[in-house]
Amino acid sequence: MERALVIIKPDGMEKGIVGKVIACFEGVGLRVSGIKMARATKAVVGRHYIADRTWLMSVGKNAKAADAKRGIVTKETEMQIGMRIRSYLMNELTRRPVVAIVFEGENANSVARKMAGATEPRSADKNTVRGMYSTDTYQLADKEKRAIRNIVHVSDSPKSANREIKVWFRSSEIFSE
Ligand code: ADP
Ligand code: MG
């Protein structure tokens, strides 16, 4: 049985949709096996969004693609953009307490990511958590020099889930079937 980590980010907390978000993931067959509310420090967010070269480059690449669609050409490298967004995430995730949840199920990571939807809420499918509960865009986040507010973080593979879960939970706080 696979585990996935979901974090209800500060914007999801602000909107008062903790129950609704959990219901979405439970609705696609995932079961809660660990849950807590936590106020993250920048150090914890830094360990969660680890400065992994591949991830930083992919964030930079996506940002450049979004810029290009708007006809904007940036001088920043993909790596520099990745680092800048990682620092935005440290501010964003420490704005207010979050809820961290370990979900279990068959293919938990791909199932949870499908339910979460695309990174940019404005272009996320309407039947996804991000599409239903946020309308944020790359453009607005850029203008306000902050991370995109897309309600949830979802781990992207069993491997990253296992690493990320250790950032937020002790093994004694997870209850498997
Ligand atoms: P996902 O959360 O969909 O896996 P990423 O791992 O690429 O997306 O990025 C992590 C988080 O960083 C996103 O959920 C979003 O909050 C933020 N983010 C990503 N790209 C940008 C960007 N170009 N501008 C602002 N924030 C961004
Ligand atoms: Mg990601």
Side-chain angles (χ1 to χ4, degrees), residues 33-98:
S33 62
I35 186 163
K36 64 163 64 164
M37 192 157 169
R39 177 120 210 186
T41 59
K42 288 190 181 182
V44 164
V45 179
R47 281 200 287 133
H48 172 80
Y49 288 111
I50 197 168
D52 167 74
R53 196 183 153 78
T54 310
W55 174 69
L56 291 167
M57 297 284 283
S58 96
V59 169
K61 195 174 171 207
N62 293 340
K64 275 193 181 264
D67 281 347
K69 262 195 189 165
R70 292 188 278 138
I72 297 170
V73 182
T74 44
K75 278 191 219 136
E76 256 182 322
T77 65
E78 290 174 356
M79 194 68 184
Q80 285 167 334
I81 296 171
M83 290 300 283
R84 173 165 57 76
I85 286 162
R86 181 169 177 258
S87 104
Y88 288 173
L89 285 164
M90 288 186 196
N91 293 331
E92 182 62 24
L93 275 281
T94 55
R95 272 200 310 121
R96 54 166 71 218
V98 299

Side-chain angles (χ1 to χ4, degrees), residues 49 55 58-59 113 119 130 153-156 164:
Y49 288 111
W55 174 69
S58 96
V59 169
R113 283 188 75 82
T119 303
R130 287 165 169 176
H153 163 80
V154 180
S155 50
D156 62 15
E164 291 170 9

